[in-house]
Amino acid sequence: GAEKAKEIALTHAGVSASNAVFLQAKLDYDDGRRVYDVEFYSGTQEYDYEIEAATGSVVSYDYDAENYVRPKGATTVSVDEATAKQTVLNKVPGATAANIYEWKLDFDDGRWEYDGKIVYNLMEYDFAVDASSGAVTEWGVESIFD
């Protein structure tokens, strides 16, 4: 049920129930299967999950740093490309630089960020890394079959 889907999402995100504010946990259909769409906030992060209703497996998830505020004076690129790439590769055990399929430095929402995509082990990881602080400000994961 919805409560179990919430529990699965919290465990996967590493967030305790006392630190989460849920926006929704509703049953839906995606690609012909029943999934729970679970959305919640914890601190400045917004989490979105799809949990397969039949098995409880995480189909896809992402999180964004909501209302992310760039550190004062951080208007230039101070994190080099190699460091930013290593930051995101560390989040995908086993992936290497060869698994990065998209990568660009972009000026978005008043700040420089690295945007990219890793494809590894039948999963696609989309991300953004603040080029001033090195913080991962966006992270999304889904199966390449979805």
Side-chain angles (χ1 to χ4, degrees):
E3 290 305 312
K4 183 65 176 174
K6 287 180 181 179
E7 182 182 315
I8 291 166
L10 288 171
T11 299
H12 187 270
V15 173
S16 69
S18 62
N19 291 329
V21 176
F22 282 91
L23 302 175
Q24 74 174 7
K26 67 177 183 172
L27 190 58
D28 199 1
Y29 282 91
D30 185 35
D31 295 329
R33 63 182 164 204
R34 293 168 51 109
V35 296
Y36 281 96
D37 286 328
V38 179
E39 295 181 26
F40 64 94
Y41 281 94
S42 180
T44 61
Q45 300 284 336
E46 181 216 359
Y47 296 83
D48 295 306
Y49 275 82
E50 282 190 354
I51 309 294
E52 188 170 13
T55 64
S57 64
V58 175
V59 175
S60 68
Y61 69 95
D62 68 59
Y63 64 87
D64 302 307
E66 296 297 307
N67 303 316
Y68 178 77
V69 178
R70 177 182 75 227
K72 290 191 185 300
T75 58
T76 62
V77 175
S78 56
V79 175
D80 64 51
E81 185 174 314
T83 301
K85 282 182 177 180
Q86 192 58 54
T87 297
V88 293
L89 287 170
N90 288 344
K91 295 177 70 63
V92 184
T96 67
N99 298 110
I100 297 175
Y101 284 85
E102 293 179 15
W103 185 267
K104 69 178 179 178
L105 179 61
D106 190 25
F107 194 75
D108 188 32
D109 294 331
R111 69 177 186 268
W112 286 102
E113 65 183 14
Y114 295 104
D115 289 319
K117 181 184 298 185
I118 295 171
V119 178
Y120 179 71
N121 202 19
L122 303 178
M123 300 298 286
E124 183 176 286
Y125 304 83
D126 293 302
F127 56 83
V129 178
D130 184 289
S132 295
S133 69
V136 176
T137 57
E138 294 179 29
W139 186 258
V141 181
E142 67 182 1
S143 167
I144 61 171
F145 299 112
D146 286 337

